[in-house]
Amino acid sequence: MIYVFLAAGFEDIEALAPIDILRRAELPVTTVSITDNPLVVSAHGVGVMADACLADIDFSTAEMLVLPGGLPGATNLDACEPLRQGILDHYKAGKPLAAICAAPLVFGHLGILEGYHATCYPGFESHLTGACYTVNHIYSGNLALCLKKHSADLRHSFCHISGNLCLRSYRITEIMTATCFDSSLRNRFVTFHQYLFCHTFTPHFSTVITQS
């Protein structure tokens, strides 16, 4: 199961686009409200009814945990102690984590970026405790971060790589075509696909962190 956590003030595209791509890929995705109210309102006033509330889920069944960005969404995620503990346990178990935009600050505050190159939305670099900040999209280990840029295609790339968890090449091509994925990013996407299947750890999201 892939859990995508929703907090009040999440960035709409950073939550809903990955959910869309993952479900197109027929991967098991559950959206989770971090409060006891399943209705979560985005940074732009869009109400989303989550599949479950935080108290209802079992972190031990999660294959991957996903944190959308946005403000105050990212800081609300960071303020949720049960979520923080779940993330820390998930990381210690060697399972993949993913975050986009400002949300990597949660990982930074937990101290799990130590010794990695990491990225985030500009202005949040100081929250990446122990990491070496980079604007490059790189991948390694069981952590994945995405830098939100002005082009929606880069966020789209983040979503498509997430769908790479357990797909064959033909399925990836099908989803790329159906969503009009920017052909200029195709080689990057296929390279990620080949990379992920060459490693023994569970595959993960697009912009990933390398050891410094």
Side-chain angles (χ1 to χ4, degrees):
M1 180 60 66
I2 300 168
Y3 290 132
V4 180
F5 294 95
L6 303 178
F10 68 85
E11 181 64 33
D12 306 55
I13 193 172
E14 294 167 6
L16 299 180
I19 293 167
D20 173 35
I21 298 301
L22 289 167
R23 288 186 172 170
R24 286 174 186 264
E26 300 179 354
L27 294 173
V29 179
T30 294
T31 56
V32 182
S33 167
I34 67 166
T35 71
D36 58 4
N37 184 354
L39 180 62
V40 188
V41 180
S42 76
H44 302 287
V46 178
V48 174
M49 188 66 69
D51 300 317
C53 293
L54 189 62
D56 302 324
I57 69 168
D58 180 357
F59 278 94
S60 68
T61 66
E63 182 176 5
M64 179 167 66
L65 307 181
V66 182
L67 306 183
L71 290 174
T75 52
N76 285 336
L77 292 172
D78 192 43
C80 180
E81 191 55 40
L83 173 60
R84 287 167 54 87
Q85 187 58 55
I87 291 170
L88 197 56
D89 293 342
H90 191 84
Y91 172 77
K92 289 178 178 178
K95 296 180 179 181
L97 296 162
I100 185 172
C101 192
L105 70 84
V106 180
F107 299 161
H109 292 172
L110 286 172
I112 61 178
L113 299 182
E114 185 76 37
Y116 287 98
H117 284 83
T119 193
C120 64
Y121 189 75
F124 288 85
E125 299 90 340
S126 63
H127 297 279
L128 305 181
T129 307
C132 178
Y133 176 75
T134 178
V135 298
N136 296 323
H137 284 36
I138 51 178
Y139 48 92
S140 178
N142 69 320
L143 293 172
L145 307 180
C146 184
L147 168 65
K148 171 184 170 184
K149 295 209 176 181
H150 297 297
S151 169
D153 281 328
L154 288 174
R155 285 171 287 183
H156 201 189
S157 176
F158 177 78
C159 303
H160 278 83
I161 303 306
S162 71
N164 210 2
L165 278 167
C166 53
L167 303 179
R168 300 299 179 186
S169 296
Y170 75 88
R171 189 74 178 100
I172 292 171
T173 301
E174 177 185 329
I175 295 171
M176 289 170 66
T177 300
T179 56
C180 298
F181 185 70
D182 186 344
S183 61
S184 68
L185 299 177
R186 182 184 179 89
N187 289 338
R188 179 190 299 175
F189 184 48
V190 173
T191 299
F192 282 146
H193 168 265
Q194 295 169 341
Y195 171 84
L196 295 176
F197 276 95
C198 289
H199 287 69
T200 57
F201 51 77
T202 305
H204 36 271
F205 267 67
S206 61
T207 305
V208 190
I209 310 167
T210 57
Q211 292 282 353
S212 58

